[in-house]
Amino acid sequence: MVAEVVIKTVDLHCSFGSTAAMRDLNLDIYKNEILGIIGPANSGKTTFLRALNRLNYLSASYSQTGDIIFEGKNIKQITDRLLRKKIGIIFALPQVLPVSIFHNIAYGPKVHGLTKKNNAAAIVEKSLKKAYLWDEVKDRLDLPANRLSGGQQQRLCIARTLAVEPDVILYDEPCSGLDPISTAKVEDTMQELKKDYTQILVTNNTKQAARVTQRCGFFLMGELVEIEETETLFTKPKDKRTDDYITGRFG
Amino acid sequence: MNVAKIREKVAFTILGLITLLVVIPILLTIFYVVKNGAGAVSWEFLTQPPRAGMKQGGIFPAIVGTILLIIGTMLFSLPLGILSAIYLVEYAKDNLFTRLIKLSVVNLSGIPSIVYGLFGFTLFVVILRFGTSILAGSLTLAIMSLPVIITATKEALESVPFSFREISLSLGASRWQTIRYCVLPYAIPGILTGTVLSLSRAAGETAPILFTVAAFYLPRLPHSIFDQVMALPYHLYVISTQVPNMPMKLSFATGLVLIGLVFLMNLVSIILRAHYRKKKLW
């Protein structure tokens, strides 16, 4: 089976000021896969993720060369607005807006004018159901979102991203602040979303990468050391540095 | 009790007393003004124009004048100040030019008010030929208020967590939508505080209105923005220094009305702030 490439990076090189954060990355991301990215701190994982929907440009010192092709189109030809609608991101710590559960989710559709055609309430319900949060919050949609537990907040963030109908979801260490049970729920949600979305998971937790992903890449100092089927990467890594990292000899 | 605890107690007591020292002059001023002026404040005083060489009657035209000047100042300085602060914080890149602007804004707040008065007189009254008028006075006061409004708004915007902007932008919202929905609502309490502070100062200033709008004695109300008006601070100055044998209680009563007006503005801002603070959930 030849899988469809959703995102392709060509010689992607990212820097903040004079510091290179990501060097010459050539990587294909396939439709409906969960791609894992592991690596120690400062290995360029987050930079890579945020390059995909141009969030890196929020820092004034950022610059980038090379190309990112999304659904056959260079992202330079796509507006921020559309690109970020199509490629959503979940941040490391659950980041909710200081408004109700309902309005957190309705915000995205509102700014894209989706609520004019469809009923906001319907979008909110659909998104929460997809993120497996609906049953836990359906009776208290007016509750301020930050009253939810950390795990619920993170799934709320997933629902918020789903509400603008993306094709790709990026996760930037989504479970770093969560307890094991909440982590399991987020991971379950990711598995369920696999059939409709392409997902990229950056994680510090190698066990999580082994549990959740099909393919996994190892980043070190801004370079992609190797990328393999997850099972191969964790059992028979080609590069010694990967082996050292996975077995906990550094990092 | 050990030595460290005793030391701490002594330090806190001293700090507390110093804080009290700051409050005392304010309370004394208010007490003194109320004590000497309250007797002369009557319905007639508030609603009648001055008569008999300003020794009788009331201060109605000056109250109206000051209120009109506050409104005029607000109309010019609020949009200008808030929009430029939004530009500086949310849009402008950090370069020499914007740093120069920021530095100018800070320095502008240190310029003596009489200099603003002279500037306003030259630009608005003479060059632009607005004459001595509400328009010229409001514009002068507005320029004087701008630095404080800009600085306060900037700080209020900067205190809104960056993550709110990041969330909004990451969902594909435009910059303006982000500001409109995810930044401004949470900055409003801070903006209000700065604005009211600076408008209160504008309401009480004499120097900027001296050559630009204030009338010595004008018992009728203005007909247009090109009319002169009486204003409370200038009226207070006039009756305290230019009119011989003026009853002191009338000066204090005028001062009391001015303080009351400023207090009223602060009250409105406190209520608005409390309303918006309820939304602050982080």
Side-chain angles (χ1 to χ4, degrees):
Chain A
M1 187 190 91
V2 180
E4 184 187 333
V5 174
V6 179
I7 298 175
K8 186 183 186 67
T9 70
V10 183
D11 298 331
L12 182 67
H13 193 103
C14 312
S15 356
F16 291 94
S18 55
T19 323
M22 183 87 252
R23 281 187 211 92
D24 304 320
L25 179 70
N26 289 286
L27 179 64
D28 289 352
I29 296 149
Y30 302 117
K31 198 172 164 68
N32 292 28
E33 75 170 335
I34 301 182
L35 172 70
I37 303 288
I38 56 169
N42 290 320
S43 58
K45 309 186 297 281
T46 298
T47 305
F48 160 66
L49 215 53
R50 293 167 68 103
L52 298 180
N53 63 359
R54 276 207 292 262
L55 273 185
N56 280 332
Y57 284 100
L58 295 187
S59 15
S61 65
Y62 181 73
S63 62
Q64 176 183 317
T65 60
D67 291 305
I68 299 172
I69 314 294
F70 171 58
E71 292 178 347
K73 219 172 169 185
N74 194 318
I75 63 166
K76 284 171 192 157
Q77 267 117 46
I78 307 174
T79 59
D80 282 356
R81 197 177 169 72
L82 185 65
L83 182 70
R84 290 174 186 160
K85 179 179 178 297
K86 288 284 179 192
I87 306 182
I89 188 165
I90 313 296
F91 298 107
L93 296 171
Q95 298 197 332
V96 297
L97 294 168
V99 290
S100 67
I101 295 171
F102 183 92
H103 285 108
N104 255 283
I105 295 172
Y107 179 71
K110 183 173 83 174
V111 300
H112 287 288
L114 297 175
T115 45
K116 278 175 207 137
K117 279 179 281 173
N118 300 295
N119 187 350
I123 297 178
V124 170
E125 182 177 340
K126 197 174 129 203
S127 309
L128 281 170
K129 278 183 173 161
K130 276 189 179 174
Y132 294 89
L133 191 59
W134 175 251
D135 289 335
E136 291 164 56
V137 300
K138 64 182 174 205
D139 303 321
R140 41 181 186 152
L141 292 176
D142 293 329
L143 191 79
N146 50 10
R147 299 263 193 85
L148 294 173
S149 75
Q152 288 173 324
Q153 285 188 31
Q154 199 58 301
R155 278 179 288 145
L156 178 74
C157 292
I158 296 176
R160 189 177 59 197
T161 300
L162 294 175
V164 296
E165 298 165 4
D167 294 339
V168 179
I169 307 170
L170 313 172
Y171 299 85
D172 186 5
E173 299 174 27
C175 301
S176 52
L178 302 186
D179 65 88
I181 294 171
S182 303
T183 301
K185 283 191 175 166
V186 171
E187 289 176 4
D188 288 348
T189 307
M190 292 181 68
Q191 294 297 354
E192 291 296 330
L193 293 173
K194 221 168 75 181
K195 53 184 186 291
D196 297 315
Y197 303 92
T198 305
Q199 301 175 86
I200 306 177
L201 170 68
V202 157
T203 179
N204 269 328
N205 182 341
T206 44
K207 290 203 183 84
Q208 180 177 50
R211 278 195 303 266
V212 180
T213 67
Q214 280 83 62
R215 276 200 317 150
C216 195
F218 173 59
F219 279 29
L220 185 66
M221 318 262 292
E223 273 173 71
L224 175 65
V225 175
E226 66 176 300
I227 180 160
E228 289 293 343
E229 298 289 319
T230 302
E231 222 188 297
T232 320
L233 188 89
F234 281 99
T235 50
K236 289 178 288 244
K238 286 189 192 110
D239 198 292
K240 184 169 181 306
R241 291 171 294 175
T242 316
D243 194 31
D244 286 349
Y245 181 71
I246 296 169
T247 50
R249 273 197 277 277
F250 79 91
Chain B
M1 222 164 26
N2 60 33
V3 182
K5 268 207 174 139
I6 295 171
R7 271 198 195 148
E8 191 173 79
K9 271 230 146 121
V10 171
F12 280 164
T13 313
I14 292 172
L15 285 174
L17 284 175
I18 290 173
T19 314
L20 203 64
L21 277 179
V22 177
V23 182
I24 286 171
I26 301 168
L27 288 179
L28 272 182
T29 312
I30 293 174
F31 171 76
Y32 198 64
V33 171
V34 171
K35 179 173 159 269
N36 290 296
V41 177
S42 63
W43 185 244
E44 194 207 354
F45 185 73
L46 293 173
T47 57
Q48 295 295 315
R51 280 180 286 117
M54 298 199 246
K55 289 193 188 93
Q56 285 173 29
I59 53 167
F60 183 61
I63 297 177
V64 172
T66 290
I67 292 175
L68 286 175
L69 283 174
I70 294 173
I71 294 172
T73 307
M74 203 157 72
L75 285 180
F76 292 118
S77 64
L78 269 197
L80 258 178
I82 292 176
L83 291 177
S84 25
I86 289 178
Y87 173 75
L88 285 175
V89 175
E90 306 290 339
Y91 289 100
K93 293 209 170 74
D94 187 34
N95 55 29
L96 194 69
F97 178 64
T98 51
R99 256 177 276 164
L100 205 69
I101 295 180
K102 285 176 189 167
L103 192 71
S104 317
V105 171
V106 174
N107 280 309
L108 272 179
S109 53
I111 291 180
S113 52
I114 186 76
V115 178
Y116 281 110
L118 275 173
F119 171 75
F121 175 74
T122 319
L123 181 64
F124 301 124
V125 178
V126 180
I127 298 177
L128 294 175
R129 297 172 191 230
F130 293 157
T132 318
S133 63
I134 297 176
L135 183 62
S138 302
L139 283 167
T140 309
L141 287 172
I143 289 181
M144 190 193 77
S145 317
L146 269 180
V148 179
I149 293 181
I150 293 178
T151 310
T153 307
K154 255 179 65 192
E155 273 162 22
L157 292 173
E158 280 162 358
S159 73
V160 176
F162 183 73
S163 64
F164 293 5
R165 298 174 177 86
E166 204 173 46
I167 294 168
S168 174
L169 292 169
S170 81
L171 289 167
S174 67
R175 285 224 156 211
W176 173 244
Q177 286 174 325
T178 300
I179 294 164
R180 167 75 187 74
Y181 298 120
C182 292
V183 180
L184 270 185
Y186 311 112
I188 282 180
I191 296 175
L192 272 175
T193 310
T195 306
V196 169
L197 207 70
S198 111
L199 287 179
S200 310
R201 189 184 156 211
E205 276 289 348
T206 314
I209 58 172
L210 197 57
F211 324 117
T212 54
V213 51
F216 186 82
Y217 177 67
L218 189 71
R220 67 173 175 82
L221 295 180
H223 299 305
S224 84
I225 53 169
F226 293 104
D227 268 5
Q228 276 188 284
V229 280
M230 294 178 79
L232 285 172
Y234 183 59
H235 182 67
L236 181 57
Y237 164 74
V238 166
I239 60 175
S240 314
T241 59
Q242 311 292 307
V243 183
N245 305 323
M246 191 72 196
M248 275 303 275
K249 63 174 186 177
L250 284 188
S251 303
F252 277 105
T254 307
L256 183 59
V257 172
L258 183 55
I259 291 178
L261 206 64
V262 169
F263 180 72
L264 217 64
M265 282 167 61
N266 278 294
L267 200 69
V268 171
S269 91
I270 288 169
I271 293 166
L272 282 173
R273 213 155 46 212
H275 171 74
Y276 279 104
R277 236 179 224 144
K278 277 197 218 131
K279 290 191 182 172
K280 183 168 173 166
L281 296 169
W282 74 88

